Amino acid sequence: MDITCYGGIEEIGGNKILVEDGKTRIFLDFGQSFGHLDDYFVDWLQPRDRFGLRDYFALDLMPKVEGLYNDNMLKPTSMKPQAPAFDAVFISHAHYDHVAHLRYLHEGIPIYMGETCKTILESHMQTSGSFFFTEKGFERPFAKTFVPPNKVKTFRTGHKIKLDSMEILPIHVDHSVPGAYGFIIHGSEGSLVYTGDIRSHGGKPELTTDFLEKAKSAAPDALIIEGTRVAPIETRKNHTEQSVYTQSLEVAKTDKLILAMRYPKDLDRFRTFHDVAKATGKTLVTTIKTAHLLMSLQEDIHLDTPHPFEDPHIKVYAREMLKPRPYEAEIKEKFQCVDCEWVKSNQKKIIWELDFSQLQELIDVNPEPGGACIHSMSEPFEEDPLSQLQDEVLHNWLSRFSMNHYQFHASGHASGKEIFDICRGIAAKATIPVHTAHPELFESAVDSARLAKKGERIQF
C-alpha cells in the first residue's frame, strides 16, 4: 500500500492521509490543523467562504487533488469539477481537527465513522449551527439550496469493512471523546495500522490495550501514529482521569461556588465532575449544549450516559437570551431549567460548568468571595499568543470575583515516552509520525521511523 499525507505533517491535527492499494483509494480522517490558517489569517481576517476553496488554493492551504472536492466549493476556483476519485473517507473520531474539512468533500465519496461519532457530530451541528448532517441533506455555505448528502456508514469494533482490495478493521481506543477508533488495514500485499488519537490514562484504558494487542498481532508493514505530546521537553503534567477526580474532589469540599471548565465533547470529564458532585452531595449544573449531547446519546447502551433532566445530581442552566437558538428553545419548552437567580441562591452546593465564552454569567450571579475554578483543559501554549491571552482574561475574571484557579487536566493524548513505547511494541517495518510538531524526534527514538513530507507518496 502507498501512503500520501496531505495534512498532519509537522503540525498538530489536520490529518488527511491517503492510502492506496491498486485502484482502491481511501482517506484516513479529513480535518483541519490548529495552525491551518495562522500564516495568512487572524481574527476577522478569514478566508472568503462565498468563494469556496479559492482562497485556500491560492495560498496553498488545501491540496489541489482532482475528484476530492464537491462542485459548489470548486465553482469559484479555476479547478474543474470531477467525478469522485476516492472510495471512502474513514473518520477516527469527532474532534474538529479530524473532521472539519468534510464540508469540502465530494458528495459522491462515502464517509465511514463510528455510530457514536455520528451522533456527536449531529448534536454538534444542531447546537453550533455548523453543517454536517441535516434532515434535508448536507448544507453548504453560500449555497442557495441543499445538495444531496454524502452517504454516511457507521461501524463499531468488530466490524470488517471490505472495499475492493482493502479490508478495514475499526478498533476502539481511549481518547477524550467517546467513539474514538484506530484502524488496522489489510491490503493485497501488506497491512498498516493507524492509531488516530490515543491514550491509556483516561476513563477506558482497556480500549487502547485491546487495540494495541490487535495492532501488534497484525505485524503491520507500516504504523501511522500520532505524536501530539512528542516534544523536546514535556511541559504538561501527566494527569490521569482518576487524579483529576481526586484533586477536584478536594477542591469541591467547600461551601463556596465551584466552577468547572472542560472541552464540550469530553464526556469522561463530565462523568468525573458528576462523580465529584455526588461524592460531595452537590449538584452539577451544566449547559443546554451538554444536555442536548447527553440526550442524543441516551440510546447508546455502551456509554451509559446520565439523562440531564432525570438524574438527581444534574441541573441544566439556561442563559438569559433575547433570541434562543431553536434547540435551546425546544429544550426550555420541554424541560425545566435553572437560571442565574437559582445559581446565585444555591451557589454553596453546586458545581457549575461554565464555558469560557459564558464568563459574563458571573456578573449576574455575583458569587461570594473564596470560590474556585477547576480549569480542566489544556494549559495555554507559550507559543500561542491567543491561548495566552485567553488564560490572562480568565484569570482577570476569577480575580474580579475572588476565585482561586486550579489546573487539573488529563490529556487526550499519550505522552511522548508512551508513544515511543507503542512504536517499539507494534514493531512495524516503517513508523510514520503524524499529528505532531516534532516528527524529527522519532528518528532518534524509533529505529523504523520514516518521516513523511506533505503531499509526497511513500511507497512500500
Side-chain angles (χ1 to χ4, degrees):
M1 287 180 282
D2 297 340
I3 298 169
T4 307
C5 297
Y6 288 105
I9 301 301
E10 296 184 354
E11 61 185 355
I12 303 297
N15 289 13
K16 290 188 189 71
I17 303 164
L18 174 62
V19 180
E20 300 175 272
D21 184 66
K23 294 183 179 180
T24 311
R25 311 172 80 198
I26 68 170
F27 269 90
L28 302 175
D29 284 329
F30 215 70
Q32 175 176 312
S33 71
F34 292 105
H36 175 65
L37 304 175
D38 290 353
D39 288 341
Y40 299 100
F41 300 101
V42 63
D43 295 332
W44 297 107
L45 176 63
Q46 292 296 317
R48 298 168 295 179
D49 281 344
R50 65 186 183 277
F51 293 142
L53 286 166
R54 181 193 295 180
D55 294 351
Y56 294 88
F57 287 163
L59 300 173
D60 295 321
L61 295 173
M62 293 283 280
K64 294 180 180 179
V65 179
E66 293 186 349
L68 183 59
Y69 304 113
N70 72 74
D71 293 355
N72 278 336
M73 290 297 178
L74 291 180
K75 284 178 181 178
T77 76
S78 61
M79 194 171 180
K80 301 299 181 183
Q82 300 279 343
F86 302 90
D87 296 281
V89 172
F90 281 78
I91 298 300
S92 62
H93 62 282
H95 277 154
Y96 177 86
D97 57 323
H98 293 257
V99 302
H101 286 171
L102 286 176
R103 58 180 174 169
Y104 304 124
L105 191 65
H106 195 296
E107 54 266 32
I109 301 174
I111 303 169
Y112 289 79
M113 62 180 65
E115 292 178 13
T116 300
C117 177
K118 182 174 183 289
T119 301
I120 291 172
L121 290 180
E122 288 173 333
S123 175
H124 176 75
M125 184 279 297
Q126 294 180 54
T127 58
S128 68
S130 62
F131 35 92
F132 278 108
F133 315 111
T134 73
E135 292 180 357
K136 296 181 179 179
F138 221 86
E139 186 181 359
R140 308 294 186 187
F142 74 80
K144 295 181 179 179
T145 60
F146 288 94
V147 298
N150 295 68
K151 290 183 179 179
V152 178
K153 303 182 180 182
T154 60
F155 54 70
R156 283 196 177 274
T157 297
H159 289 185
K160 295 181 180 180
I161 299 118
K162 184 72 173 176
L163 293 176
D164 297 326
S165 61
M166 285 189 197
E167 183 180 69
I168 300 95
L169 283 67
I171 301 173
H172 45 216
V173 297
D174 182 30
H175 187 41
S176 54
V177 64
Y181 289 85
F183 299 106
I184 298 175
I185 303 173
H186 298 292
S188 56
E189 295 183 357
S191 62
L192 69 82
V193 168
Y194 173 57
T195 64
D197 289 353
I198 193 169
R199 66 178 181 181
S200 296
H201 54 263
K204 294 284 186 179
E206 67 275 9
L207 302 184
T208 293
T209 299
D210 185 36
F211 170 76
L212 295 180
E213 289 175 351
K214 289 181 170 61
K216 182 178 180 180
S217 65
D221 296 281
L223 167 64
I224 306 173
I225 187 168
E226 70 121 320
T228 306
R229 293 174 60 191
V230 172
I233 300 175
E234 175 68 85
T235 59
R236 299 183 180 272
K237 296 179 181 178
N238 206 28
H239 285 136
T240 64
E241 198 64 39
Q242 179 60 41
S243 67
V244 172
Y245 168 79
T246 302
Q247 294 175 94
S248 299
L249 181 63
E250 290 303 310
V251 172
K253 292 177 180 177
T254 177
D255 62 352
K256 302 296 184 180
L257 177 64
I258 302 295
L259 299 183
M261 304 182 75
R262 60 174 176 85
Y263 294 113
K265 298 172 186 173
D266 191 344
L267 293 187
D268 282 349
R269 195 62 36 78
F270 175 84
R271 288 191 183 89
T272 293
F273 290 148
H274 185 232
D275 289 343
V276 170
K278 290 191 291 184
T280 55
K282 294 189 175 185
T283 298
L284 179 61
V285 181
T286 193
T287 65
I288 289 187
K289 186 173 183 177
T290 293
H292 187 281
L293 178 57
L294 292 174
M295 289 190 293
S296 298
L297 293 169
Q298 285 303 298
E299 295 183 3
D300 193 328
I301 61 174
H302 300 272
L303 295 181
D304 190 28
T305 51
H307 194 290
F309 294 101
E310 296 177 3
D311 189 290
H313 296 280
I314 300 175
K315 295 287 186 184
V316 177
Y317 180 73
R319 293 181 293 162
E320 181 182 355
M321 301 182 70
L322 295 178
K323 188 177 180 180
R325 291 180 175 176
Y327 84 94
E328 293 173 316
E330 182 180 357
I331 288 178
K332 289 173 68 174
E333 182 179 347
K334 291 182 179 179
F335 302 99
Q336 184 175 0
C337 299
V338 300
D339 58 13
C340 60
E341 290 301 323
W342 186 95
V343 170
K344 185 173 184 177
S345 300
N346 293 274
Q347 60 183 284
K348 294 183 177 181
K349 49 187 178 182
I350 67 171
I351 297 174
W352 188 17
E353 288 197 332
L354 201 62
D355 293 340
F356 179 83
S357 61
Q358 299 174 358
L359 286 171
Q360 310 96 315
E361 302 300 301
L362 289 172
I363 295 173
D364 301 323
V365 172
N366 192 24
E368 297 178 5
C373 172
I374 301 173
H375 187 264
S376 205
M377 304 164 72
S378 296
E379 302 94 327
F381 290 95
E382 292 182 3
E383 61 273 19
D384 184 354
L386 179 59
S387 68
Q388 289 286 335
L389 178 60
Q390 288 182 341
D391 186 62
E392 181 180 342
V393 169
L394 172 60
H395 277 81
N396 289 341
W397 278 92
L398 298 180
S399 176
R400 179 77 182 189
F401 292 98
S402 302
M403 304 186 78
N404 298 310
H405 176 275
Y406 296 90
Q407 176 68 35
F408 304 145
H409 178 56
S411 172
H413 306 270
S415 68
K417 179 182 181 304
E418 290 171 320
I419 289 295
F420 294 149
D421 287 343
I422 290 173
C423 294
R424 300 184 192 106
I426 293 177
K429 296 175 184 177
T431 299
I432 302 169
V434 296
H435 205 293
T436 177
H438 297 283
E440 73 282 356
L441 297 180
F442 281 77
E443 290 185 301
S444 58
V446 181
D447 291 338
S448 62
R450 186 167 178 178
L451 304 192
K453 295 183 179 179
K454 188 175 290 188
E456 289 190 7
R457 177 181 292 183
I458 298 177
Q459 295 180 310
F460 293 91

